[in-house]
Amino acid sequence: MSETRPNVFPNKGGEPNKVVPEGSTIPAGELAALEEMKRRTEEQLAQRKGVPVPVAEPVVMASAVVSEKKVEYSPLAEPKWNAPYDLVPLPSKGKLYKGVREVVKISYMTGSDENILTSPNLVQSGKFLEVLIRRNLLEENLDYRSLHVGDRNAIMIWLRSTAFGNMYPISVYNSKGEVESMDFDLSTLKMIDLGAEPDADGLFDFDCPVSGDRLKFKFMTVGDEDDVEELLVKETESGMDINNRSTYTLQRQIVSVNGDGDVDRVKSYVDNMRIGDIKAFRAYVNNIESGIDLQVQIRTRGDESITTFLPINVNFFWPNL
């Protein structure tokens, strides 16, 4: 798989992405959520490429009073067990989980889901996507937080396509710096299969080229990603000047070292892991990981081909129909 694996809303740093049209009346909560997702994605892409990541200030939500509240959403996230559904294929083919098939039951978005998308508290908390998928994922053996990120992205795109159609309006910059608007067909996105076969527990093996150590590892889940983000936000708020994303990610990926699965010893190993082994490990993970290929080619009106990440903006779950 490509080393560029965006988190929720992909946006490649350094490439244009018209997120908010000039003169837009989009609610402040939606804008804050989108800006926070963009920031997280840029940090993760830089980290995967081995680029030093500066510590960024967290996005301040529109209402300090609302953002300080603990958002209660459990009742809203109750699965719609009796709703019509379809079988959606997972990029991982279910091999990363126990008791999960290649396809999962996903219910169609309905009017009740629109309440989620228009709830300022959920949008500002960044939990709207979690609630949305929890409501529509009809699998008792699969929880949102245990989803592999690539599988989560596949479900997210399916929900959007079946709710609003495959054609997704986007805006990109051409080589002349001009903004061009067009429709992108989400059905043309390609699925990336697993590049290696996991064991019965959904784990993989990797032999470190420098130290010779054998690692057993897993892919990051949505829960892992969220936990890392929470740690980073806390460190930023405390004034820490170092971004520990790489370390925290490795600590969640590596399950055992030379057969030793003690959590504390694995963390200690990660702290002292050789850079050459880290780079080789990261490249291997990126090469075998499954998901949706969000790097796309777009042809402009001037017949210019632009390779970019699918610019997911406010029209993704909040389209102006």
Side-chain angles (χ1 to χ4, degrees):
M1 180 177 181
S2 169
E3 66 176 352
T4 48
R5 185 198 61 182
N7 194 14
V8 182
F9 285 130
N11 179 37
K12 186 177 181 182
E15 289 192 2
N17 179 1
K18 190 181 180 185
V19 176
V20 183
E22 188 174 348
S24 170
T25 58
I26 298 164
E30 294 177 14
L31 297 182
L34 288 163
E35 286 301 315
E36 177 66 5
M37 291 173 187
K38 176 182 177 182
R39 179 190 67 80
R40 292 184 181 184
T41 297
E42 289 175 343
E43 283 190 359
Q44 290 170 0
L45 292 178
Q47 183 266 323
R48 287 185 175 91
K49 292 182 177 180
V51 178
V53 181
V55 177
E57 292 295 327
V59 172
V60 179
M61 298 305 182
S63 170
V65 175
V66 172
S67 63
E68 289 176 359
K69 291 181 180 179
K70 181 179 180 181
V71 179
E72 299 292 343
Y73 59 87
S74 295
L76 294 175
E78 181 66 24
K80 302 183 301 185
W81 296 112
N82 296 321
Y85 66 85
D86 206 340
L87 297 177
V88 179
L90 296 176
S92 70
K93 301 186 183 304
K95 295 181 179 180
L96 304 178
Y97 322 99
K98 289 186 177 180
V100 176
R101 298 175 299 166
E102 293 187 18
V103 296
V104 291
K105 297 178 182 178
I106 305 293
S107 61
Y108 297 97
M109 286 176 59
T110 62
S112 61
D113 293 302
E114 187 178 20
N115 297 329
I116 305 302
L117 300 176
T118 56
S119 298
N121 285 10
L122 283 175
V123 174
Q124 292 183 34
S125 71
K127 293 291 186 181
F128 76 93
L129 185 60
E130 176 177 349
V131 174
L132 198 63
I133 291 182
R134 282 185 183 276
R135 286 171 54 82
N136 292 285
L137 177 60
L138 308 181
E139 296 288 339
E140 294 183 353
N141 296 329
L142 190 58
D143 179 70
Y144 173 81
R145 283 180 57 85
S146 65
L147 277 172
H148 170 240
V149 175
D151 291 341
R152 187 276 313 277
N153 288 348
I155 293 172
M156 177 186 74
I157 291 169
W158 184 89
L159 285 173
R160 198 279 178 193
S161 297
T162 55
F164 304 113
N166 286 328
M167 301 313 293
Y168 166 51
I170 62 174
S171 296
V172 296
Y173 289 116
N174 59 27
S175 59
K176 297 179 181 179
E178 301 168 334
V179 176
E180 292 197 26
S181 299
M182 62 198 72
D183 287 338
F184 180 83
D185 188 350
L186 294 173
S187 68
T188 63
L189 291 172
K190 297 178 181 179
M191 185 179 294
I192 302 174
D193 295 330
L194 285 171
E197 195 70 19
D199 63 18
D201 296 317
L203 304 177
F204 302 85
D205 293 315
F206 176 75
D207 293 322
C208 295
V210 179
S211 65
D213 293 322
R214 166 156 282 209
L215 310 180
K216 190 169 284 293
F217 69 93
K218 69 181 183 69
F219 292 147
M220 292 284 282
T221 65
V222 173
D224 291 328
E225 295 273 15
D226 287 348
D227 289 344
V228 169
E229 293 297 340
E230 185 176 345
L231 286 171
L232 293 174
V233 169
K234 288 181 179 179
E235 291 181 347
T236 299
E237 292 174 345
S238 68
M240 182 174 291
D241 294 328
I242 299 176
N243 188 302
N244 291 307
R245 181 183 300 279
S246 176
T247 298
Y248 293 152
T249 299
L250 288 170
Q251 288 175 347
R252 281 157 179 76
Q253 289 175 311
I254 299 175
V255 176
S256 68
V257 180
N258 297 324
D260 185 354
D262 181 82
V263 175
D264 290 333
R265 284 195 285 272
V266 169
K267 287 184 177 181
S268 177
Y269 177 86
V270 168
D271 289 337
N272 296 283
M273 193 172 176
R274 302 184 192 182
I275 293 180
D277 286 339
I278 292 176
K279 291 179 69 67
F281 172 75
R282 186 179 294 137
Y284 180 71
V285 173
N286 290 332
N287 186 53
I288 69 170
E289 200 162 12
S290 59
I292 299 295
D293 190 354
L294 295 171
Q295 183 167 298
V296 299
Q297 282 193 328
I298 298 173
R299 192 159 293 279
T300 67
R301 289 188 295 271
D303 203 33
E304 176 186 3
S305 180
I306 299 175
T307 300
T308 183
F309 284 100
L310 181 67
I312 296 184
N313 54 35
V314 293
N315 290 320
F316 197 77
F317 277 118
W318 296 282
N320 296 319
L321 298 178

